[in-house]
Amino acid sequence: MSQSIGFVGIGAMGSAIASRLVDTNTLLVNDLNPALALPLEERGARFAPLDEIATCDVVFLSLPGPDNVLKLLLGDGGLAEKMGPGSLVIDTTSSTPIVDEGLVRDLAVKSISYIDAPIAGGVRRAYDGLATLMVGATDEDFARAEPLLNTITSNVFHLGPVGAGHAAKLVNNLLNHCNRFATVEMITLAERYGIPPDVMIDVLNVSSGRSYVTDYTYPEIVFPNLKQGFTLELMRKDAHLAGALADHVGQKLRVGSLVAEMMDEAVERLGGSADQTDLMQKWYPPVTD
């Protein structure tokens, strides 16, 4: 049954998630850049001020990072001051369970429920309903949110209490970053020996070196020279958030810490607004004959 849903943050990934909801719900959207709403408005969504978003029983967030979430919900005049008791916040932002702990406590005072449901798999797969949602929630809140989450994708995993989704997303993203750097390095090594990148990718995809990067990113994004819709600054943010999570639980990340340093270098060299594809194409100098 259609219901009124609020959605704040309709950048690349937010728009993809919202596109899965707009056909079966009354969707109110908000973003600092109102022009981003146009494709969704053409399908029936409506751009609305935050005061109106706060009247929705369910509000999705897809923001750049945890600081943005805290400011939006708990800052002066934030959404939490205006949302009614029994409201539900579904946060798809890549954040951290360390932040979630405080959010749950502060929102509970106002009888507002919160679940973390970050998404992985890339913008294109999110539009196609093929991405993955990693959810941290109470059983009651998950049951309430599950029909909406299943509209976004069939790959929905309830991993435990609030914070579990964000923890899993950080693990996933840092592992993907590790695979990305390792694959670029090995593809370049093969190319310098004379093996074309597309041939090496075909070999890896039927061998033990296969990964999401070889199976999807190279053939579907890098070789066609497309953009993945995820910036290097966001990659760097996730790498360092994963490091903070490791510190929080007392684990030393040897490979992960190195990759976080490499992300700092990538942002310095290529710029924070560069796409993941730029990293894979420009990290090493082109191989010439």
Side-chain angles (χ1 to χ4, degrees), residues 27-46:
L27 191 66
L28 306 182
V29 300
N30 184 279
D31 194 276
L32 293 176
N33 181 2
L36 295 177
L38 292 176
L40 292 166
E41 288 178 315
E42 291 174 354
R43 294 175 57 185
R46 181 166 62 83

Side-chain angles (χ1 to χ4, degrees), residues 3-287:
Q3 59 180 314
S4 293
I5 304 295
F7 204 110
V8 182
I10 47 173
M13 184 58 82
S15 291
I17 299 170
S19 75
R20 305 292 305 173
L21 298 166
V22 67
D23 292 335
T24 53
N25 299 278
T26 301
L27 191 66
L28 306 182
V29 300
N30 184 279
D31 194 276
L32 293 176
N33 181 2
L36 295 177
L38 292 176
L40 292 166
E41 288 178 315
E42 291 174 354
R43 294 175 57 185
R46 181 166 62 83
F47 191 90
L50 289 176
D51 284 354
E52 189 173 359
I53 295 285
T55 66
C56 297
D57 290 335
V58 179
V59 176
F60 279 82
L61 307 181
S62 180
L63 302 177
D67 290 344
N68 307 89
V69 173
L70 289 171
K71 182 178 179 180
L72 177 72
L73 290 176
L74 302 177
D76 291 340
L79 280 184
E81 294 182 8
K82 304 164 186 175
M83 296 177 71
S87 300
L88 174 65
V89 174
I90 301 177
D91 185 11
T92 69
T93 305
S94 291
S95 185
T96 166
I98 303 168
V99 169
D100 292 339
E101 292 173 5
L103 271 175
V104 169
R105 182 179 59 250
D106 292 340
L107 292 176
V109 173
K110 302 177 182 298
S111 298
I112 299 171
S113 296
Y114 171 90
I115 73 174
D116 54 308
I119 192 166
V123 173
R124 294 180 69 197
R125 290 174 66 84
Y127 271 110
D128 293 337
L130 300 174
T132 299
L133 284 170
M134 309 171 197
V135 184
T138 65
D139 290 342
E140 180 181 359
D141 288 338
F142 179 73
R144 178 181 175 187
E146 189 174 15
L148 289 171
L149 301 180
N150 285 335
T151 302
I152 298 169
T153 176
S154 59
N155 300 317
V156 178
F157 294 88
H158 184 199
L159 300 171
V162 171
H166 279 144
K169 175 65 183 294
L170 292 177
V171 169
N172 174 81
N173 279 21
L174 184 53
L175 179 58
N176 178 262
H177 300 347
C178 293
N179 288 340
R180 194 174 295 268
F181 276 105
T183 304
V184 169
E185 187 166 275
M186 292 301 101
I187 293 299
T188 304
L189 175 61
E191 189 176 11
R192 291 191 185 283
Y193 189 76
I195 304 172
D198 58 333
V199 174
M200 192 67 236
I201 287 294
D202 287 343
V203 171
L204 291 172
N205 282 335
V206 290
S207 305
S208 57
R210 180 183 181 184
S211 71
Y212 178 86
V213 177
T214 66
D215 189 51
Y216 175 77
T217 306
Y218 264 96
E220 299 294 332
I221 304 293
V222 177
F223 290 154
N225 198 29
L226 301 176
K227 299 299 183 184
Q228 203 151 6
F230 198 79
T231 68
L232 299 190
E233 184 57 51
L234 291 176
M235 284 183 68
R236 175 167 70 171
K237 177 210 69 175
D238 287 352
H240 286 286
L241 286 177
L245 177 62
D247 291 341
H248 185 65
V249 299
Q251 179 178 345
K252 183 177 181 179
L253 297 182
R254 298 179 66 182
V255 176
S257 295
L258 176 60
V259 168
E261 292 176 8
M262 294 170 76
M263 279 310 313
D264 290 338
E265 181 183 346
V267 169
E268 182 177 347
R269 281 173 48 190
L270 303 176
S273 62
D275 191 83
Q276 287 179 326
T277 308
D278 297 313
L279 168 68
M280 303 183 74
Q281 293 172 332
K282 300 175 183 178
W283 182 251
Y284 286 104
V287 176

